[in-house]
């Protein structure tokens, strides 16, 4: 069984402020909701803070979670149904997915690429490469994983991968304007290609230090700095393969899933204004 939770966060509480600024702390708090279960499985989460006064945490868990401790730390201390966590089984949604259905979607992901160009490395990677060279390491890493930094590159990163996720993007209505600076044309009549309905809601970069562990999870005592650039996508899609899309919804998209990336959520399509 899989469950989707929606937890309102009270941003002025001390515990909430810690979670909102630290993906590591939020990850630990999320895992705490299923820590009692012997096999918690894969957990995905996403923080939606478009309205900083009313941020929401969305979490996908395999076992049914218990958000009591989370609410005590960062939730609203009021007796209101809208301020309480909502937990629903994901099975009904997955069961009714059919080819041709249309949905609005939201996704926060970490768009990255592998490169050997040193000018694209971030300061942490440059320092690590310099340290490896100075220490005389037998094998110095020549290629690095770096974040896509422009909106156009982040859009391309996702659109190129969409066919493997069981859906396709819907075109924007003829009356809508394309996002400026993303699609290389100015006259909509100059091209017959449909303009996909996808946009970047916002970008975020997180930088933090984490403990270094071995392959079996044992701490080495050292630390390393981690930088994650994320992009939140919105748009509309059409289901092409319900089985693959169901797997995508459960397993997530891209990397950095422990730090709030990868959770794709669906909603009824937004009504278009004629």
């Amino acid at each position: 069984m899989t469950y989707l939770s929606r937890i309102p966060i009270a941003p002025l509480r001390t515990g909430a402020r810690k979670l909102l600024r630290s993906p590591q702390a939020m990850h630990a708090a999320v895992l705490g909701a299923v820590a009692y279960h012997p096999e918690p499985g894969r957990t995905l989460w996403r923080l939606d803070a478009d309205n900083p006064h009313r941020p929401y945490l969305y979490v996908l868990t395999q076992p049914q979670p218990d958000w009591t401790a989370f609410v005590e730390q960062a939730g609203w201390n009021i007796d209101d149904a809208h301020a309480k966590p909502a937990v629903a089984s994901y099975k009904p949604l997955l069961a009714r997915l059919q080819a041709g259905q249309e949905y609005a979607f939201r996704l926060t992901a970490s768009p990255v690429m592998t490169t050997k160009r040193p000018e694209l490395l971030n300061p942490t990677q440059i320092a690590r490469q310099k340290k490896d060279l100075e220490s005389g390491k037998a094998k110095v890493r020549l290629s690095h994983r770096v974040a896509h930094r422009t909106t156009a590159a982040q859009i391309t990163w996702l659109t190129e991968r969409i066919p493997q996720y069981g859906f396709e993007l819907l075109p924007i209505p003829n009356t809508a304007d394309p996002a400026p600076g993303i699609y290389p044309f100015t006259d909509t009549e100059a091209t017959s290609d449909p303009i996909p309905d996808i946009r970047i809601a916002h970008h975020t970069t997180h930088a933090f230090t984490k403990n270094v562990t071995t392959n079996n999870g044992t701490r080495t005592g050292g630390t390393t700095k981690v930088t994650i650039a994320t992009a939140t996508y919105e748009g509309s899609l059409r289901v092409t393969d319900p089985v693959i899309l169901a797997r995508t919804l459960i397993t997530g998209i891209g990397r950095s899933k422990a730090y709030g990336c990868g959770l794709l959520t669906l909603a009824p399509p937004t009504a278009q204004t004629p």
Side-chain angles (χ1 to χ4, degrees):
M1 188 69 74
T2 306
Y3 296 87
L4 181 65
S5 301
R6 180 177 182 264
I7 308 101
I9 298 176
L12 296 182
R13 298 188 67 175
T14 301
R17 290 200 297 268
K18 176 183 177 182
L19 299 184
L20 290 172
R21 66 172 178 261
S22 171
Q24 279 186 303
M26 184 68 82
H27 177 59
V30 165
L31 293 184
V34 293
Y36 59 88
H37 199 279
E39 296 181 7
R42 164 70 71 180
T43 298
L44 299 173
W45 62 272
R46 185 184 75 229
L47 178 65
D48 285 357
D50 306 71
N51 181 348
H53 304 292
R54 289 191 175 185
Y56 288 92
L57 176 68
Y58 289 83
V59 186
L60 191 71
T61 58
Q62 303 302 318
Q64 187 167 3
D66 180 357
W67 296 109
T68 304
F70 186 96
V71 172
E72 290 177 351
Q73 178 183 6
W76 290 93
N77 188 25
I78 57 177
D79 188 16
D80 188 305
H82 297 289
K84 297 178 180 178
V87 182
S89 170
Y90 223 33
K91 186 176 181 180
L93 170 65
L94 300 179
R96 67 172 177 261
L97 287 176
Q98 296 182 17
Q101 290 176 332
E102 297 179 358
Y103 294 95
F105 74 88
R106 189 174 177 94
L107 164 73
T108 293
S110 177
V112 296
M113 63 177 175
T114 301
T115 182
K116 294 183 179 180
R117 295 170 58 187
E119 69 272 17
L120 296 180
L121 304 186
N122 62 44
T124 301
Q125 292 169 323
I126 293 174
R128 186 180 300 133
Q129 188 177 55
K130 181 179 178 181
K131 182 178 179 181
D132 289 345
L133 289 170
E134 292 175 347
S135 64
K137 264 195 172 183
K139 186 177 181 180
V140 177
R141 181 183 300 181
L142 297 179
S143 61
H144 294 264
R145 189 177 293 112
V146 299
H148 287 294
R149 297 182 175 89
T150 67
T151 298
Q154 291 171 344
I155 291 283
T156 300
W157 175 88
L158 182 58
T159 54
E160 289 180 344
R161 289 162 174 75
I162 277 177
Q164 64 183 290
Y165 296 134
F167 65 90
E168 62 184 3
L169 293 174
L170 291 172
I172 65 171
N174 292 332
T175 56
D177 293 327
I182 297 178
Y183 299 104
F185 61 88
T186 55
D187 183 1
T188 55
E189 296 181 356
T191 176
S192 59
D193 294 334
I195 305 167
D197 183 12
I198 184 172
R199 55 199 168 274
I200 302 289
H202 61 263
H203 315 255
T204 306
T205 299
H206 300 284
F208 53 90
T209 301
K210 73 172 187 176
N211 295 318
V212 178
T213 59
T214 61
N215 292 334
N216 61 8
T218 304
R219 292 186 179 182
T220 64
T223 61
T224 183
K225 187 174 181 180
V226 178
T227 302
I228 299 174
T230 69
T232 298
Y233 301 85
E234 294 178 342
S236 56
L237 61 81
R238 180 185 294 115
V239 181
T240 56
D241 190 318
V243 175
I244 295 177
L245 177 56
R247 184 167 64 243
T248 300
L249 292 171
I250 293 174
T251 59
I253 293 176
R255 307 182 64 87
S256 301
K257 294 174 182 175
Y259 302 117
C261 298
L263 177 59
L264 172 71
T265 54
L266 306 180
T270 304
Q272 301 290 350
T273 303

